[in-house]
Amino acid sequence: MNTYYKGLFSEWYARMFLRLHGYKIIKTRYITGKHTNRAEIDIIAKRGNTLVFVEVKSRHDLQSAWDAILPGQMSRLRNAADTYLAKKHWIGSARFDVIAVCGLKIYWEKNAF
């Protein structure tokens, strides 16, 4: 399986995991507009009055998953989330989570950045 399909599987696996924990999937692969230093948010989910922006990383181990999230990417993801929240006029709470998929094991870090 190449890395593209491995990433698609990991995102699907993360969505199933979130659903099992009571989250409703609102949007997948949300991309901000062109020519705006684009960012892609892998999953936007909702539970209660909280929107969760989820970055999914598929790596062999947890440390390499964390190492793959660079400061520039975090900044772009925050900007993309701000754009989404403004567009939807969201008044609830919001947070960023990271789900690392290492083989078939999932590591979920809430309020990751």
Side-chain angles (χ1 to χ4, degrees):
M1 179 182 323
N2 67 30
T3 53
Y4 176 75
Y5 289 110
K6 187 176 179 185
L8 288 178
F9 170 77
S10 296
E11 288 177 15
W12 172 83
Y13 197 41
R15 288 193 307 271
M16 296 304 111
F17 179 83
L18 288 168
R19 285 184 180 125
L20 287 172
H21 285 85
Y23 287 81
K24 178 181 179 188
I25 305 303
I26 303 298
K27 188 98 173 126
T28 59
R29 299 185 144 210
Y30 172 76
I31 300 174
T32 58
K34 294 180 181 177
H35 312 297
T36 59
N37 200 9
R38 293 166 40 153
E40 178 184 304
I41 298 173
D42 295 326
I43 301 169
I44 302 173
K46 181 183 175 202
R47 184 172 178 198
N49 197 32
T50 302
L51 262 186
V52 182
F53 299 95
V54 182
E55 177 64 16
V56 179
K57 290 294 179 189
S58 176
R59 297 292 189 275
H60 293 298
D61 61 81
L62 184 58
Q63 185 60 50
S64 61
W66 276 110
D67 291 344
I69 303 172
L70 303 173
Q73 181 184 17
M74 285 190 264
S75 177
R76 286 191 305 276
L77 289 170
R78 280 191 201 102
N79 290 338
D82 288 342
T83 300
Y84 183 85
L85 293 171
K87 184 177 171 183
K88 298 296 181 180
H89 306 290
W90 182 255
I91 56 171
S93 61
R95 70 173 196 250
F96 277 98
D97 291 0
V98 172
I99 293 181
V101 179
C102 304
L104 292 178
K105 187 159 175 113
I106 287 184
Y107 299 92
W108 183 16
E109 182 70 31
K110 296 179 182 177
N111 290 312
F113 59 90

